[in-house]
């Protein structure tokens, strides 16, 4: 609004020296940027502090972009895992052992798979034991209604 006052011509004012509504509307029609500025000022004056409507057309684009980035990351991870396995098997096949290199490669792959499966099982067993221990320490019968939503719980 101050911009318009500073850029106004002498004929833009009424006899009292204030800008007329007709002159402001005419200026707003000529320059859409100034019209948006005037609308924003009027909204601020009226106390209408609602947020602008969200742009829902860009949300699918953002989701597609995030999905693409995740897929690229997953592909890089899988490629790295395969390359690492190939590297280890190749190095194992080059060992000087009394059996053929194909047997060493096969045993390396089978051994790594079994070791990974065993580690997974041990991890799951540990998590189950922790869950059982936690539920045994605080059985449902011992809870009261006050325990449902503790505000200052440690």
């Amino acid at each position: 609004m101050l911009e318009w006052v500073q850029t106004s011509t002498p004929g833009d004012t009424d006899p009292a020296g204030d800008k007329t509504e007709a002159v402001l509307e005419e200026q707003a029609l000529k320059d859409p940027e100034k019209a948006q500025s005037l609308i924003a000022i009027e909204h601020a004056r009226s106390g209408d502090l609602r947020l602008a409507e969200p742009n829902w057309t860009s949300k699918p684009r953002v989701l597609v972009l995030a999905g693409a980035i995740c897929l690229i990351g997953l592909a890089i991870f899988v490629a790295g895992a395969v390359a690492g396995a190939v590297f280890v098997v190749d190095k194992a096949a080059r060992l000087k052992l009394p059996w053929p290199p194909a047997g060493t490669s096969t045993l390396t792959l089978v051994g790594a798979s079994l070791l990974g499966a065993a580690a997974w099982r041990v991890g799951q067993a540990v998590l189950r034991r922790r869950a059982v221990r936690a539920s045994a320490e605080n059985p449902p019968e011992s809870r009261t209604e006050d325990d449902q939503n503790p505000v200052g719980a440690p």
Side-chain angles (χ1 to χ4, degrees), residues 122-132:
V122 168
Q124 293 299 313
V126 168
L127 289 175
R128 269 189 241 113
R129 272 189 246 126
R130 285 184 187 168
V132 167

Side-chain angles (χ1 to χ4, degrees), residues 1-13 19 23-24 27 31 34:
M1 188 79 165
L2 181 61
E3 236 175 71
W4 287 2
V5 172
Q6 291 172 346
T7 60
S8 67
T9 59
D12 290 348
T13 58
K19 286 198 165 259
V23 172
L24 290 176
Q27 285 181 347
D31 189 3
K34 288 184 180 181

Side-chain angles (χ1 to χ4, degrees), residues 49-122:
L49 301 177
R50 288 182 286 162
L51 295 175
E53 288 291 321
N55 186 1
W56 295 110
T57 58
S58 68
K59 189 173 185 178
R61 291 180 189 156
V62 171
L63 290 175
V64 167
L65 182 62
I69 290 171
C70 288
L71 284 176
I72 290 169
L74 181 65
I76 290 171
F77 177 75
V78 168
V82 169
V86 168
F87 176 78
V88 168
V89 169
D90 181 52
K91 292 299 178 187
R94 292 183 184 192
L95 292 174
K96 303 291 184 202
L97 298 173
W99 51 81
T104 305
S105 299
T106 304
L107 286 175
T108 301
L109 280 176
V110 169
S113 299
L114 291 175
L115 186 63
W120 176 265
R121 296 277 304 214
V122 168

